[in-house]
Amino acid sequence: MSAGLFHEWRGTYEEPVALIGDQLAADDARLREAAVSVLEDLFELAAPAADRLAALVTADPECWVRRWEHGAPTLGGPLKALARTGDPRAVPALAAVLGRETVPHDLGYVVAHLGPEAAGLAGPLRARLRRVPLDSPDVCGHAGTTLHALALLRDPAALPEVLRLLHEVPGDLRREALTESAVRVLDALAAPEAIPVLRGLLDGQCAVTAAAALWSAEGDPEAVLPVLARELGSGRPHRRRAAVETLGRMGAQARSLVPELSVMTRSDEVWQRTAAACALWRVTGDPDPVLPVLRAAWEDNPYTRGTIAECLAGMGPAGRPVHDLLHTEVAAPRRHRARTGGYGSHDVLEDERLLRACREALRADRMLRQI
């Protein structure tokens, strides 16, 4: 019942969360597991229970990894919950897990929540990547979570190992997902040493990701715009949206593709319209053709609101005509992704991010009005 409350309604929950944390010291294993199952989906809101979680993680290394009868192991609930609060006490346990023979496939996804504290994982992650068997049929499974974490850490010392993967994994084993993950690390590192490799990927299945990384490393619009233009005309929605987002990163350097972005703002698919409108603003700085698209998407699909709020936060006063949406959202008692009959594991996280973005946009506007 408490999980349903937290996932559906906004509020100040320090006291009930702390009380749930107290159940982690109970003798009843089922009660402890029930408490963990609530806390691991609260992310930062589970901070009042962090001391209890840290005590459990320290006392019981067996809870660091959860093994299943079928399938790969996953990160244990107590350690996952602690890391998702951003608590640095999760780092030593995560580093120890990275040293094991089998690493949970979801470990890399908690790194983002640790902020600067995650820097302590850079060495163990590099060591883990060095141990990946390059001739294994499951090389992607071995390397995927590690590459995701290294992209978040932006650790320049990881560059040789990432390039080794791209050069030495046999072609019949180097699946698209592995290449995409490795190239995202190169994108985060913006390393000139990776330019030859990235240019060699511009005609393949990972062309958009490679173009984005090449832009980060080289900053040459002539090298990447033809690739992005080609993908905008493709029938692959995921790659089209990735191309649009890269154009947004390029800003005014992508002006030659404004007509294509304008066409996409009239797409039948709401995510295509939203991504194109956000990119069009970043390329042109003109809010007039963008704001009606964002307003319609906000009202049409609540899942777009986080993306739109982040865009509005960057628009400043130019986004003022749709700030009524932000005021209404901040005042609403119900989470924007709440739905009858169930909830998702990231509903609380995405809702809290949305509220932060809304408040940031409104706060920036108020500050500018006072100047």
Side-chain angles (χ1 to χ4, degrees):
M1 291 175 65
S2 66
L5 174 68
F6 300 149
H7 281 261
E8 186 166 355
W9 300 97
R10 295 163 175 165
T12 303
Y13 292 123
E14 285 87 348
E15 185 176 359
V17 169
L19 291 171
I20 291 171
D22 289 343
Q23 310 312 307
L24 298 176
D27 293 330
D28 187 333
R30 290 181 303 173
L31 181 56
R32 293 197 304 272
E33 290 175 5
V36 168
S37 72
V38 175
L39 296 172
E40 65 181 298
D41 288 343
L42 296 184
F43 294 84
E44 291 180 7
L45 294 189
D51 286 346
R52 291 290 194 180
L53 285 167
L56 180 57
V57 166
T58 301
D60 183 15
E62 290 300 314
C63 77
W64 296 354
V65 175
R66 185 168 186 177
R67 292 172 175 80
W68 305 87
E69 185 177 351
H70 302 289
T74 57
L75 206 59
L79 180 53
K80 181 189 293 185
L82 184 64
R84 284 176 164 181
T85 68
D87 196 297
R89 289 173 289 186
V91 172
L94 291 171
V97 171
L98 282 167
R100 297 182 180 182
E101 182 176 353
T102 303
V103 174
H105 68 82
D106 55 347
L107 185 150
Y109 298 100
V110 303
V111 169
H113 306 289
L114 290 165
E117 302 295 342
L121 294 173
L125 284 164
R126 292 195 304 271
R128 174 67 189 171
L129 200 58
R130 280 194 294 272
R131 296 197 305 273
V132 168
L134 301 185
D135 58 351
S136 167
D138 190 30
V139 63
C140 185
H142 287 296
T145 186
T146 307
L147 290 168
H148 181 83
L150 287 170
L152 294 170
L153 290 180
R154 300 177 181 269
D155 174 25
L159 179 63
E161 295 304 325
V162 177
L163 291 175
R164 182 178 73 98
L165 277 181
L166 290 172
H167 285 306
E168 298 183 19
V169 173
D172 59 332
L173 298 179
R174 200 176 75 211
R175 305 286 187 262
E176 181 180 347
L178 177 64
T179 304
E180 290 267 2
S181 297
V183 171
R184 287 192 183 99
V185 182
L186 299 181
D187 189 359
L189 297 180
E193 299 92 326
I195 289 174
V197 173
L198 295 171
R199 285 185 175 272
L201 295 171
L202 294 180
D203 292 324
Q205 295 296 311
C206 302
V208 176
T209 312
L214 187 60
W215 170 254
S216 296
E218 192 175 33
D220 180 6
E222 294 184 4
V224 300
L225 284 176
V227 177
L228 300 177
R230 182 186 72 214
E231 295 301 332
L232 288 180
S234 74
R236 306 174 185 88
H238 175 71
R239 289 168 67 171
R240 289 182 72 197
R241 184 176 164 192
V244 166
E245 291 171 352
T246 302
L247 292 172
R249 285 171 52 183
M250 295 176 67
Q253 296 287 340
R255 276 189 172 274
S256 63
L257 293 181
V258 164
E260 288 83 350
L261 289 174
S262 298
V263 169
M264 284 189 66
T265 63
R266 300 188 290 275
S267 167
D268 292 335
E269 205 281 313
V270 66
W271 277 109
Q272 299 285 345
R273 296 196 305 272
T274 302
C278 292
L280 192 60
W281 155 255
R282 292 172 180 133
V283 172
T284 67
D286 181 4
D288 291 341
V290 167
L291 294 180
V293 179
L294 297 183
R295 178 181 288 277
W298 182 287
E299 295 171 346
D300 183 31
N301 186 338
Y303 283 71
T304 65
R305 291 180 186 176
T307 299
I308 294 170
E310 290 177 2
C311 181
L312 293 174
M315 291 177 73
R320 195 171 295 160
V322 297
H323 280 188
D324 60 294
L325 299 173
L326 307 184
H327 285 290
T328 300
E329 188 65 58
V330 169
R334 200 164 185 256
R335 298 199 185 277
H336 76 290
R337 288 167 54 156
R339 54 195 179 277
T340 303
Y343 48 82
S345 62
H346 285 65
D347 285 356
V348 172
L349 173 68
E350 296 302 330
D351 189 71
E352 294 295 322
R353 284 177 173 171
L354 170 62
L355 290 174
R356 280 197 294 271
C358 289
R359 289 168 180 146
E360 179 184 344
L362 295 172
R363 181 168 54 251
D365 187 36
R366 284 195 299 269
M367 291 174 63
L368 287 170
R369 288 191 188 194
Q370 294 170 1
I371 295 176

PDB file of all heavy atoms in Angstrom, residues 187-205:
ATOM      1  N   ASP A 187      31.760   9.110 -27.546  1.00  0.00           N
ATOM      2  CA  ASP A 187      31.037  10.385 -27.603  1.00  0.00           C
ATOM      3  C   ASP A 187      31.258  11.171 -26.318  1.00  0.00           C
ATOM      4  O   ASP A 187      31.543  12.374 -26.330  1.00  0.00           O
ATOM      5  CB  ASP A 187      29.546  10.099 -27.814  1.00  0.00           C
ATOM      6  CG  ASP A 187      28.740  11.365 -28.096  1.00  0.00           C
ATOM      7  OD1 ASP A 187      29.318  12.470 -28.110  1.00  0.00           O
ATOM      8  OD2 ASP A 187      27.516  11.246 -28.293  1.00  0.00           O
ATOM      9  N   ALA A 188      31.137  10.482 -25.181  1.00  0.00           N
ATOM     10  CA  ALA A 188      31.314  11.155 -23.897  1.00  0.00           C
ATOM     11  C   ALA A 188      32.748  11.658 -23.709  1.00  0.00           C
ATOM     12  O   ALA A 188      32.964  12.701 -23.085  1.00  0.00           O
ATOM     13  CB  ALA A 188      30.949  10.201 -22.760  1.00  0.00           C
ATOM     14  N   LEU A 189      33.710  10.938 -24.272  1.00  0.00           N
ATOM     15  CA  LEU A 189      35.122  11.313 -24.092  1.00  0.00           C
ATOM     16  C   LEU A 189      35.576  12.394 -25.072  1.00  0.00           C
ATOM     17  O   LEU A 189      36.557  13.086 -24.813  1.00  0.00           O
ATOM     18  CB  LEU A 189      36.004  10.076 -24.265  1.00  0.00           C
ATOM     19  CG  LEU A 189      35.805   8.953 -23.247  1.00  0.00           C
ATOM     20  CD1 LEU A 189      36.736   7.794 -23.551  1.00  0.00           C
ATOM     21  CD2 LEU A 189      36.032   9.456 -21.828  1.00  0.00           C
ATOM     22  N   ALA A 190      34.861  12.527 -26.204  1.00  0.00           N
ATOM     23  CA  ALA A 190      35.227  13.524 -27.226  1.00  0.00           C
ATOM     24  C   ALA A 190      36.711  13.450 -27.552  1.00  0.00           C
ATOM     25  O   ALA A 190      37.414  14.461 -27.602  1.00  0.00           O
ATOM     26  CB  ALA A 190      34.855  14.935 -26.739  1.00  0.00           C
ATOM     27  N   ALA A 191      37.177  12.235 -27.801  1.00  0.00           N
ATOM     28  CA  ALA A 191      38.610  12.000 -27.978  1.00  0.00           C
ATOM     29  C   ALA A 191      39.005  12.064 -29.446  1.00  0.00           C
ATOM     30  O   ALA A 191      38.501  11.277 -30.257  1.00  0.00           O
ATOM     31  CB  ALA A 191      38.977  10.637 -27.404  1.00  0.00           C
ATOM     32  N   PRO A 192      39.913  12.946 -29.837  1.00  0.00           N
ATOM     33  CA  PRO A 192      40.375  13.000 -31.241  1.00  0.00           C
ATOM     34  C   PRO A 192      40.978  11.680 -31.720  1.00  0.00           C
ATOM     35  O   PRO A 192      40.926  11.372 -32.912  1.00  0.00           O
ATOM     36  CB  PRO A 192      41.418  14.116 -31.215  1.00  0.00           C
ATOM     37  CG  PRO A 192      41.056  14.963 -30.036  1.00  0.00           C
ATOM     38  CD  PRO A 192      40.515  14.013 -29.014  1.00  0.00           C
ATOM     39  N   GLU A 193      41.543  10.897 -30.795  1.00  0.00           N
ATOM     40  CA  GLU A 193      42.146   9.620 -31.185  1.00  0.00           C
ATOM     41  C   GLU A 193      41.123   8.657 -31.790  1.00  0.00           C
ATOM     42  O   GLU A 193      41.488   7.721 -32.513  1.00  0.00           O
ATOM     43  CB  GLU A 193      42.801   8.942 -29.969  1.00  0.00           C
ATOM     44  CG  GLU A 193      43.922   9.741 -29.343  1.00  0.00           C
ATOM     45  CD  GLU A 193      43.443  10.636 -28.217  1.00  0.00           C
ATOM     46  OE1 GLU A 193      42.299  11.144 -28.300  1.00  0.00           O
ATOM     47  OE2 GLU A 193      44.203  10.829 -27.259  1.00  0.00           O
ATOM     48  N   ALA A 194      39.851   8.881 -31.492  1.00  0.00           N
ATOM     49  CA  ALA A 194      38.807   7.974 -31.977  1.00  0.00           C
ATOM     50  C   ALA A 194      38.268   8.371 -33.350  1.00  0.00           C
ATOM     51  O   ALA A 194      37.450   7.646 -33.924  1.00  0.00           O
ATOM     52  CB  ALA A 194      37.660   7.938 -30.974  1.00  0.00           C
ATOM     53  N   ILE A 195      38.715   9.492 -33.902  1.00  0.00           N
ATOM     54  CA  ILE A 195      38.139  10.001 -35.160  1.00  0.00           C
ATOM     55  C   ILE A 195      38.214   8.983 -36.300  1.00  0.00           C
ATOM     56  O   ILE A 195      37.208   8.757 -36.993  1.00  0.00           O
ATOM     57  CB  ILE A 195      38.801  11.339 -35.543  1.00  0.00           C
ATOM     58  CG1 ILE A 195      38.332  12.435 -34.575  1.00  0.00           C
ATOM     59  CG2 ILE A 195      38.462  11.720 -36.977  1.00  0.00           C
ATOM     60  CD1 ILE A 195      39.035  13.770 -34.770  1.00  0.00           C
ATOM     61  N   PRO A 196      39.353   8.329 -36.546  1.00  0.00           N
ATOM     62  CA  PRO A 196      39.386   7.357 -37.656  1.00  0.00           C
ATOM     63  C   PRO A 196      38.374   6.227 -37.489  1.00  0.00           C
ATOM     64  O   PRO A 196      37.717   5.825 -38.458  1.00  0.00           O
ATOM     65  CB  PRO A 196      40.828   6.835 -37.622  1.00  0.00           C
ATOM     66  CG  PRO A 196      41.612   7.921 -36.949  1.00  0.00           C
ATOM     67  CD  PRO A 196      40.687   8.499 -35.931  1.00  0.00           C
ATOM     68  N   VAL A 197      38.238   5.714 -36.280  1.00  0.00           N
ATOM     69  CA  VAL A 197      37.276   4.639 -36.029  1.00  0.00           C
ATOM     70  C   VAL A 197      35.858   5.126 -36.287  1.00  0.00           C
ATOM     71  O   VAL A 197      35.047   4.438 -36.930  1.00  0.00           O
ATOM     72  CB  VAL A 197      37.405   4.124 -34.578  1.00  0.00           C
ATOM     73  CG1 VAL A 197      36.298   3.133 -34.251  1.00  0.00           C
ATOM     74  CG2 VAL A 197      38.764   3.481 -34.363  1.00  0.00           C
ATOM     75  N   LEU A 198      35.547   6.305 -35.807  1.00  0.00           N
ATOM     76  CA  LEU A 198      34.195   6.842 -35.952  1.00  0.00           C
ATOM     77  C   LEU A 198      33.856   7.100 -37.414  1.00  0.00           C
ATOM     78  O   LEU A 198      32.737   6.824 -37.861  1.00  0.00           O
ATOM     79  CB  LEU A 198      34.060   8.125 -35.133  1.00  0.00           C
ATOM     80  CG  LEU A 198      34.194   7.936 -33.618  1.00  0.00           C
ATOM     81  CD1 LEU A 198      34.263   9.281 -32.907  1.00  0.00           C
ATOM     82  CD2 LEU A 198      33.043   7.105 -33.067  1.00  0.00           C
ATOM     83  N   ARG A 199      34.796   7.624 -38.172  1.00  0.00           N
ATOM     84  CA  ARG A 199      34.544   7.846 -39.600  1.00  0.00           C
ATOM     85  C   ARG A 199      34.251   6.531 -40.314  1.00  0.00           C
ATOM     86  O   ARG A 199      33.445   6.477 -41.246  1.00  0.00           O
ATOM     87  CB  ARG A 199      35.737   8.552 -40.234  1.00  0.00           C
ATOM     88  CG  ARG A 199      35.828  10.033 -39.877  1.00  0.00           C
ATOM     89  CD  ARG A 199      36.962  10.710 -40.628  1.00  0.00           C
ATOM     90  NE  ARG A 199      36.981  12.148 -40.388  1.00  0.00           N
ATOM     91  CZ  ARG A 199      36.297  13.040 -41.104  1.00  0.00           C
ATOM     92  NH1 ARG A 199      35.542  12.628 -42.111  1.00  0.00           N
ATOM     93  NH2 ARG A 199      36.375  14.325 -40.832  1.00  0.00           N
ATOM     94  N   GLY A 200      34.890   5.458 -39.861  1.00  0.00           N
ATOM     95  CA  GLY A 200      34.661   4.164 -40.476  1.00  0.00           C
ATOM     96  C   GLY A 200      33.295   3.573 -40.171  1.00  0.00           C
ATOM     97  O   GLY A 200      32.882   2.596 -40.807  1.00  0.00           O
ATOM     98  N   LEU A 201      32.568   4.146 -39.212  1.00  0.00           N
ATOM     99  CA  LEU A 201      31.256   3.629 -38.825  1.00  0.00           C
ATOM    100  C   LEU A 201      30.103   4.434 -39.413  1.00  0.00           C
ATOM    101  O   LEU A 201      28.943   4.110 -39.179  1.00  0.00           O
ATOM    102  CB  LEU A 201      31.135   3.628 -37.291  1.00  0.00           C
ATOM    103  CG  LEU A 201      32.084   2.690 -36.543  1.00  0.00           C
ATOM    104  CD1 LEU A 201      32.003   2.964 -35.030  1.00  0.00           C
ATOM    105  CD2 LEU A 201      31.748   1.232 -36.823  1.00  0.00           C
ATOM    106  N   LEU A 202      30.403   5.464 -40.180  1.00  0.00           N
ATOM    107  CA  LEU A 202      29.354   6.371 -40.651  1.00  0.00           C
ATOM    108  C   LEU A 202      28.427   5.751 -41.695  1.00  0.00           C
ATOM    109  O   LEU A 202      27.341   6.288 -41.949  1.00  0.00           O
ATOM    110  CB  LEU A 202      29.977   7.649 -41.218  1.00  0.00           C
ATOM    111  CG  LEU A 202      30.701   8.541 -40.215  1.00  0.00           C
ATOM    112  CD1 LEU A 202      31.273   9.762 -40.916  1.00  0.00           C
ATOM    113  CD2 LEU A 202      29.768   8.969 -39.082  1.00  0.00           C
ATOM    114  N   ASP A 203      28.812   4.635 -42.268  1.00  0.00           N
ATOM    115  CA  ASP A 203      27.963   3.984 -43.268  1.00  0.00           C
ATOM    116  C   ASP A 203      27.292   2.725 -42.730  1.00  0.00           C
ATOM    117  O   ASP A 203      26.615   2.021 -43.486  1.00  0.00           O
ATOM    118  CB  ASP A 203      28.784   3.616 -44.512  1.00  0.00           C
ATOM    119  CG  ASP A 203      29.239   4.848 -45.277  1.00  0.00           C
ATOM    120  OD1 ASP A 203      28.469   5.824 -45.334  1.00  0.00           O
ATOM    121  OD2 ASP A 203      30.382   4.832 -45.788  1.00  0.00           O
ATOM    122  N   GLY A 204      27.459   2.442 -41.451  1.00  0.00           N
ATOM    123  CA  GLY A 204      26.922   1.203 -40.891  1.00  0.00           C
ATOM    124  C   GLY A 204      25.642   1.402 -40.117  1.00  0.00           C
ATOM    125  O   GLY A 204      24.987   2.449 -40.172  1.00  0.00           O
ATOM    126  N   GLN A 205      25.283   0.356 -39.343  1.00  0.00           N
ATOM    127  CA  GLN A 205      24.052   0.374 -38.568  1.00  0.00           C
ATOM    128  C   GLN A 205      24.095   1.388 -37.422  1.00  0.00           C
ATOM    129  O   GLN A 205      23.051   1.800 -36.920  1.00  0.00           O
ATOM    130  CB  GLN A 205      23.782  -1.026 -37.998  1.00  0.00           C
ATOM    131  CG  GLN A 205      23.512  -2.091 -39.048  1.00  0.00           C
ATOM    132  CD  GLN A 205      22.242  -1.792 -39.832  1.00  0.00           C
ATOM    133  OE1 GLN A 205      21.199  -1.512 -39.250  1.00  0.00           O
ATOM    134  NE2 GLN A 205      22.335  -1.843 -41.145  1.00  0.00           N
TER     135      GLN A 205
END
